[in-house]
Amino acid sequence: MFKIKNASICFLIVICVMFTAIPKLMTVQGDTVSESGYGDVNSDGCVDPLDLMVLTRYVAGWQGYDLIVNKANSDVNCDSQVNSVDVIVIARHLANHSGYSKLPYLSNVEHETLALQTPAVLIDVSTHQGEIDWKAVAQSGVKYAIIRAGYGNCLYEVKSDKTVSVQIDKRVGYNIEKAKENGIKIGIYWYSYADSVEDAKKEAATCLGVLNSLGVTPNDLELPVAFDIEETSRNKSTLKRQNTDMVKAFCNAISTAGYTPMVYSFSNFFKNATYYEEFSDYYIWFAHSTDNDLSAVKLNGLDIDIWQYGYAPVDSIKGIVGNVDINRTYWDFNCNYKLEKHTATVVRKTTSVSTTLYSQPSTDSNKVGTADKGVSMKVLFVYGSWSYVYADNGCQGFVSNSHITG
């Protein structure tokens, strides 16, 4: 993988760490809030993980979330501003941390230790990390791993009258087996040397062949299968069209096979050598070191799903000798709020005479509003057969996808 160095720990890291601290609570329907409404970020009458997700995305600058954040309710430490500190307070409230049972929380959160030394939430590994002690890795707090399956498009060649594997990662089988055995959620990446669309298609077929040989089905992966495109020879503006088509060829083949596709590269490559706007159907894994300048961790008009921001300090993650890349994810792949690709710019219209909006993706949850036929709704995210929408009539909540079109 492309290596990025000297990244400082900043609030977004803490935000994502806090997400992984509460996976067991992601199935709750929510706690009733006090009359003050503190913590009820989306004004649906309860404080639950949905509020945490919405506020996190608002603070991180995701499109559309300014429409649904109730800023008065979100200022849970009463400092007259809505920022990462409020995210931390709500996360700790949901995780039942001592002293955070009631909102607002009026202590000085900023001067507390904010879990800045917590090990990486997500690592990516290959044979270069040697034999990993996955039990120790899990005990260090790592929740997710993206594992290299191989590289290029030639799996086997004949050497001395023997057919040998040459481009399968030598430790992929071991890493997948032991990571899952120790409760770590996994994804896959494939390093590309492709120089044409046909090469990219062959690489996809090769990657799928490796997964098939290992017995790894789409249901065995909690994270996507990534196309890692970063070769220096491809980082040219004159290759934008070809690079873009290569990414799409690989990712579409992965999707056709039933896996979830993702594209990995570093900031300059995305912006200089691809038409990244065409990758909206894929998860985005974005490599960029930053010194507290989060404005650089973005692609205009496209959401970043995983951010690779640097190395874990040597020996900070037990079970791995030497360096390992660390990442933060905008998604919680380890809970029931495993959402489909973010679609904040999509607008739909209601098809029923009267469409009901709910506080949760279930008709058994509280009704939070209605919309007449033809009312436009901005879709903020999709959850299975439901969408969370902001309607032109001011209502917001979950609506069945069968009741909207466009």
Side-chain angles (χ1 to χ4, degrees):
M1 301 293 287
F2 170 77
K3 304 296 184 183
I4 48 180
K5 303 178 180 179
N6 300 323
S8 62
I9 304 227
C10 58
F11 83 84
L12 188 56
I13 298 172
V14 179
I15 291 170
C16 297
V17 168
M18 299 313 297
F19 263 116
T20 62
I22 58 169
K24 66 180 181 180
L25 294 172
M26 288 296 183
T27 58
V28 301
Q29 291 298 308
D31 302 317
T32 302
V33 298
S34 63
E35 292 182 2
S36 65
Y38 284 111
D40 186 13
V41 175
N42 64 336
S43 304
D44 67 351
C46 62
V47 180
D48 60 12
L50 184 58
D51 294 295
L52 179 60
M53 182 189 69
V54 168
L55 186 59
T56 299
R57 293 178 177 178
Y58 168 76
V59 171
W62 283 42
Q63 298 176 7
Y65 283 81
D66 57 319
L67 297 173
I68 62 173
V69 167
N70 182 318
K71 294 179 178 61
N73 289 358
S74 301
D75 182 18
V76 290
N77 68 330
C78 297
D79 64 353
S80 299
Q81 53 186 330
V82 177
N83 55 27
S84 60
V85 175
D86 299 296
V87 174
I88 293 166
V89 170
I90 292 177
R92 290 180 172 180
H93 170 73
L94 291 171
N96 296 318
H97 280 220
S98 177
Y100 289 81
S101 61
K102 294 183 179 181
L103 298 177
Y105 180 84
L106 302 179
S107 296
N108 194 340
V109 182
E110 290 181 301
H111 292 144
E112 295 181 7
T113 299
L114 300 179
L116 295 183
Q117 302 305 316
T118 301
V121 174
L122 189 158
I123 61 174
D124 54 89
V125 301
S126 70
T127 190
H128 298 301
Q129 274 68 50
E131 185 168 329
I132 297 171
D133 181 346
W134 284 99
K135 182 176 181 180
V137 169
Q139 291 173 343
S140 292
V142 172
K143 303 296 183 184
Y144 315 115
I146 302 180
I147 297 167
R148 190 180 74 163
Y151 51 95
N153 63 30
C154 179
L155 273 185
Y156 303 99
E157 64 182 40
V158 177
K159 291 185 176 181
S160 301
D161 298 324
K162 292 183 179 180
T163 301
V164 297
S165 63
V166 290
Q167 291 183 311
I168 301 174
D169 189 288
K170 292 179 175 59
R171 298 187 186 275
V172 59
Y174 170 85
N175 284 337
I176 290 174
E177 178 185 357
K178 295 301 180 181
K180 292 184 71 66
E181 187 177 291
N182 286 281
I184 293 174
K185 309 300 182 182
I186 67 167
I188 294 294
Y189 79 88
W190 191 266
Y191 190 98
S192 175
Y193 288 106
D195 282 321
S196 68
V197 171
E198 286 305 310
D199 281 351
K201 290 179 179 179
K202 290 178 182 178
E203 289 189 343
T206 306
C207 176
L208 292 169
V210 170
L211 295 179
N212 182 62
S213 70
L214 295 170
V216 177
T217 70
N219 290 334
D220 294 321
L221 302 178
E222 292 81 14
L223 278 70
V225 175
F227 183 58
D228 177 358
I229 180 170
E230 58 176 276
E231 280 292 291
T232 302
S233 63
R234 304 298 309 176
N235 190 9
K236 300 175 182 178
S237 59
T238 55
L239 296 177
K240 267 189 174 184
R241 182 71 267 157
Q242 189 179 50
N243 287 339
T244 301
D245 291 343
M246 284 162 48
V247 168
K248 293 165 75 172
F250 183 98
C251 289
N252 289 345
I254 293 298
S255 179
T256 298
Y259 298 86
T260 300
M262 178 163 67
V263 54
Y264 167 95
S265 198
F266 51 95
S267 175
N268 180 263
F269 196 106
F270 271 120
K271 296 173 182 178
N272 177 60
T274 74
Y275 294 107
Y276 61 80
E277 300 89 347
E278 297 182 24
F279 300 155
S280 59
D281 288 338
Y282 318 129
Y283 281 83
I284 301 297
W285 184 8
F286 185 88
H288 183 72
S289 60
T290 177
D291 187 13
N292 288 324
D293 180 15
L294 290 179
S295 64
V297 187
K298 68 179 182 180
L299 294 171
N300 291 335
L302 200 62
D303 296 313
I304 292 169
D305 302 296
I306 298 175
W307 171 31
Q308 183 192 75
Y309 65 90
Y311 290 137
V314 174
D315 297 330
S316 64
I317 297 179
K318 304 304 179 184
I320 297 178
V321 177
N323 291 321
V324 63
D325 292 321
I326 50 176
N327 307 259
R328 290 296 181 260
T329 172
Y330 288 83
W331 299 88
D332 191 338
F333 293 98
N334 192 30
C335 67
N336 287 341
Y337 276 91
K338 182 178 178 181
L339 308 175
E340 295 179 12
K341 192 71 185 74
H342 182 58
T343 53
T345 58
V346 173
V347 175
R348 301 281 189 248
K349 289 190 176 182
T350 55
T351 57
S352 302
V353 174
S354 180
T355 298
T356 302
L357 283 71
Y358 297 89
S359 63
Q360 301 287 333
S362 168
T363 55
D364 294 329
S365 62
N366 295 330
K367 295 179 181 180
V368 294
T370 59
D372 294 333
K373 185 175 182 179
V375 170
S376 294
M377 297 180 166
K378 187 171 187 179
V379 177
L380 297 183
F381 57 86
V382 179
Y383 180 85
S385 61
W386 294 79
S387 294
Y388 191 89
V389 301
Y390 184 89
D392 280 357
N393 66 0
C395 293
Q396 58 187 337
F398 285 97
V399 62
S400 172
N401 291 339
S402 63
H403 293 164
I404 54 177
T405 188

